[in-house]
Amino acid sequence: MPDPAIAHARRGAAFTFDSDSFLQLVENLRHPICPETSTIHAPSFDHAVKDPVADDIAISPEARVIIFEGNYLSLNEGSWAKAAKMMDELWFVEVDFGIARDRLVKRHVKAGIAADEKDAAKRADENDLVNGKEIVEGRLDVHEVIVSREDDSWRPEKQKISES
């Protein structure tokens, strides 16, 4: 891990994640299930404190389908690539960088990560979109690409769903 100040400023970059531990988790999940197989625990992420929570998600031996979601699951680099090659299927959600930037700015302000839209835009431009470029340019071949588009008919208020 580089300098802690750099790591904090670049939160969310691939190097700020423990990819070796993720690889170990995937390897553990790929072991054959037998009578003595025990529950495996995976980390979660606490958005309130903006940090991972170790061993927060219990995966019982009876689980047959595991779905991971994350920015670096198809990154062709080190432990990320090794873990990706153990997946039965690998999907990628593609989004236009302009749309992603707009979404990030709104999310950063709403989550209190940035004080205002100006600060949120700076963070998106200097960190999140840099990470996104790394992901797109260093992506492995995947089984499916899902294109994310803006569609007002899917907004919560159009669906009569309240956002919490």
Side-chain angles (χ1 to χ4, degrees):
M1 179 75 64
D3 177 281
I6 293 170
H8 188 268
R10 289 293 318 280
R11 271 186 115 144
F15 70 81
T16 68
F17 287 88
D18 185 355
S19 60
D20 292 335
S21 290
F22 179 70
L23 173 59
Q24 183 65 56
L25 171 65
V26 174
E27 288 172 342
N28 290 342
L29 290 167
R30 296 300 299 192
H31 288 153
I33 297 171
C34 51
E36 52 279 347
T37 299
S38 61
T39 298
I40 295 173
H41 288 85
S44 68
F45 189 81
D46 185 336
H47 288 277
V49 296
K50 300 179 183 36
D51 277 321
V53 179
D55 300 329
D56 194 43
I57 302 169
I59 304 169
S60 73
E62 294 81 18
R64 296 293 188 263
V65 176
I66 309 292
I67 298 174
F68 292 106
E69 66 84 20
N71 289 339
Y72 301 103
L73 299 182
S74 64
L75 187 63
N76 191 12
E77 184 178 293
S79 294
W80 295 115
K82 290 175 187 172
K85 290 174 183 166
M86 287 190 277
M87 305 286 175
D88 292 321
E89 290 198 27
L90 196 58
W91 293 22
F92 185 80
V93 178
E94 183 178 279
V95 62
D96 174 84
F97 274 83
I99 292 171
R101 184 180 189 276
D102 292 345
R103 291 175 181 172
L104 286 162
V105 168
K106 289 175 188 170
R107 186 175 76 196
H108 290 337
V109 172
K110 183 176 181 178
I113 294 169
D116 56 32
E117 286 191 6
K118 181 180 176 188
D119 286 344
K122 182 178 186 326
R123 178 175 171 79
D125 292 338
E126 295 178 2
N127 188 46
D128 301 304
L129 295 176
V130 173
N131 297 341
K133 184 176 181 191
E134 177 185 6
I135 293 163
V136 169
E137 291 178 354
R139 178 171 62 85
L140 290 162
D141 288 335
V142 297
H143 298 93
E144 296 286 339
V145 174
I146 299 166
V147 179
S148 176
R149 296 187 173 92
E150 290 296 292
D151 181 346
D152 284 342
S153 69
W154 283 91
R155 293 197 181 283
E157 60 273 12
K158 299 280 185 166
Q159 298 291 314
K160 297 185 177 33
I161 300 170
S162 65
E163 279 189 276
S164 48

